[in-house]
Amino acid sequence: MRKMIAAAAGLLLAGPLLTTMSPAQAAPAANSCYVQSGGITTGNDSVDRYVNSTSPITVKPVDVMAKNPFGSLPISLSTQWTWDDDFGDEMSLDGHIVSGDAMYQAHQWVQKGTGGKVVSSSLVKIGSGWSAFRTLTQSWSLETSGWRVYALRGDGSLFRWNLSPQNNGTEVWHAAGSYPGFSAVKAVTLLSRTPTYDSLLATTWGGALYSIRIPLSSPMKPIVTPLRTRTWGSFERLLTARCGNYGTLLLGIDKDTGAGYLYAVGHANGTATVINSLGKVPATFDDRIDFSWGSVVDAPLNGD
């Protein structure tokens, strides 16, 4: 994998964008999609903001989804969170967090219309050893069976777990492979989920942007493909949302400046992938932890 990334980083940038594009190559429309950006604030509140791909970009004011749901527990990593408001006066929130060396399955019931008042909250410890990891990416969809979590360890090894929900609401985690050679990776997010593979989108410290297709077969053998080879290194966080039948809306966050930039990304096609910059987001991303929110009825990502 080290050789694969080094070789790919030596490729030239793609030429001019195609003037005619098939649906599988086309970037999504710029006025029909949004990223539900989430975060954990310095006060430990869970918040969200809708970043809309209008022209110009518009942002819904920040909402508190859950008021101080973790108490004084320090959070270092978070997966994407899902919400479900089909419970009368309450809303269900679910995700996974890392605090210290431990991973937790987190759940809250929140009373609607109260600014995030938490009715009840639970943290179920999954295991230890998580302080060694620096990224956490979740692949999920109600349309396809099973949930998966990918985590990048500090030494550059990418790990996968399959999650099996139990009748009592807890989960059983099954180790499902690992692969070395990703020490150059800086930020990771989900790009696609299918019945046969997941694809991640990643930036490198050197500024490249890659897709990482990971077949669900065993052993785990990722396929790394460069989409761009420079200018992407400033982003510490990447958030994605499905946009249309073939594309992805991508929010890149520069934590050094608190700036966010929005992109419409066509179906992954190596360096020929269409990536249209929609501009700088008129908001400051200064939360301690960034993640994306998703409704339980969202269709799976399909960017690769």
Side-chain angles (χ1 to χ4, degrees), residues 33-38 48-53 57-63 65 83 281 293 295:
C33 306
Y34 61 84
V35 174
Q36 189 180 358
S37 166
D48 82 331
R49 58 173 67 81
Y50 284 83
V51 180
N52 303 293
S53 61
I57 298 167
T58 55
V59 182
K60 180 184 175 184
V62 173
D63 282 331
M65 297 288 279
W83 57 268
V281 178
W293 287 97
S295 164

Side-chain angles (χ1 to χ4, degrees), residues 157-219:
S157 294
L158 182 67
F159 288 77
R160 176 174 62 193
W161 289 266
N162 294 331
L163 280 59
S164 299
Q166 306 299 296
N167 291 333
N168 62 359
T170 62
E171 303 162 338
V172 176
W173 285 47
H174 307 275
S178 64
Y179 205 90
F182 290 96
S183 57
V185 169
K186 184 177 184 180
V188 182
T189 189
L190 187 67
L191 181 62
S192 267
R193 179 192 169 101
T194 79
T196 58
Y197 65 86
D198 290 323
S199 284
L200 309 181
L201 188 66
T203 59
T204 68
W205 296 95
L209 180 71
Y210 291 94
S211 66
I212 305 172
R213 179 180 288 195
I214 308 173
L216 302 187
S217 56
S218 182

Side-chain angles (χ1 to χ4, degrees), residues 5-294:
I5 288 183
L11 296 176
L12 295 176
L13 284 175
L17 298 180
L18 300 175
T19 55
T20 59
M21 296 177 287
S22 69
Q25 295 171 320
N31 61 355
S32 59
C33 306
Y34 61 84
V35 174
Q36 189 180 358
S37 166
I40 299 174
T41 69
T42 54
N44 255 13
D45 296 337
S46 294
V47 299
D48 82 331
R49 58 173 67 81
Y50 284 83
V51 180
N52 303 293
S53 61
T54 49
S55 182
I57 298 167
T58 55
V59 182
K60 180 184 175 184
V62 173
D63 282 331
V64 177
M65 297 288 279
K67 187 70 176 176
N68 194 23
F70 310 113
S72 60
L73 191 70
I75 312 301
S76 57
L77 290 174
S78 175
T79 62
Q80 180 182 28
W81 277 66
T82 57
W83 57 268
D84 188 348
D85 63 355
D86 195 22
F87 296 98
D89 293 335
E90 295 183 356
M91 180 167 56
S92 174
L93 310 178
D94 289 277
H96 296 88
I97 59 168
V98 171
S99 179
D101 201 43
M103 159 76 79
Y104 297 92
Q105 176 192 0
H107 173 77
Q108 290 115 40
W109 288 103
V110 176
Q111 188 173 348
K112 297 177 185 176
T114 61
K117 178 182 177 181
V118 177
V119 177
S120 64
S121 179
S122 66
L123 289 173
V124 178
K125 186 176 179 180
I126 301 299
S128 301
W130 287 91
S131 60
F133 292 88
R134 53 189 180 88
T135 71
L136 205 58
T137 309
Q138 186 166 283
S139 172
W140 70 278
S141 171
L142 292 185
E143 291 189 1
T144 53
S145 61
W147 292 43
R148 293 176 287 276
V149 168
Y150 296 88
L152 180 62
R153 200 166 63 185
D155 62 2
S157 294
L158 182 67
F159 288 77
R160 176 174 62 193
W161 289 266
N162 294 331
L163 280 59
S164 299
Q166 306 299 296
N167 291 333
N168 62 359
T170 62
E171 303 162 338
V172 176
W173 285 47
H174 307 275
S178 64
Y179 205 90
F182 290 96
S183 57
V185 169
K186 184 177 184 180
V188 182
T189 189
L190 187 67
L191 181 62
S192 267
R193 179 192 169 101
T194 79
T196 58
Y197 65 86
D198 290 323
S199 284
L200 309 181
L201 188 66
T203 59
T204 68
W205 296 95
L209 180 71
Y210 291 94
S211 66
I212 305 172
R213 179 180 288 195
I214 308 173
L216 302 187
S217 56
S218 182
M220 179 175 159
K221 291 184 178 180
I223 302 167
V224 177
T225 304
L227 306 187
R228 297 292 189 268
T229 58
R230 60 182 177 89
T231 75
W232 288 82
S234 63
F235 296 133
E236 286 83 13
R237 305 288 187 272
L238 301 176
L239 306 181
T240 48
R242 178 167 172 153
C243 191
N245 292 326
Y246 306 103
T248 303
L249 198 62
L250 170 64
L251 174 61
I253 300 175
D254 182 345
K255 296 302 290 183
D256 293 331
T257 63
Y261 296 85
L262 200 61
Y263 301 87
V265 182
H267 204 73
N269 186 28
T271 54
T273 302
V274 177
I275 303 178
N276 293 331
S277 174
L278 304 181
K280 185 178 180 180
V281 178
T284 300
F285 295 87
D286 55 1
D287 297 325
R288 291 192 302 105
I289 305 293
D290 299 282
F291 56 86
S292 58
W293 287 97

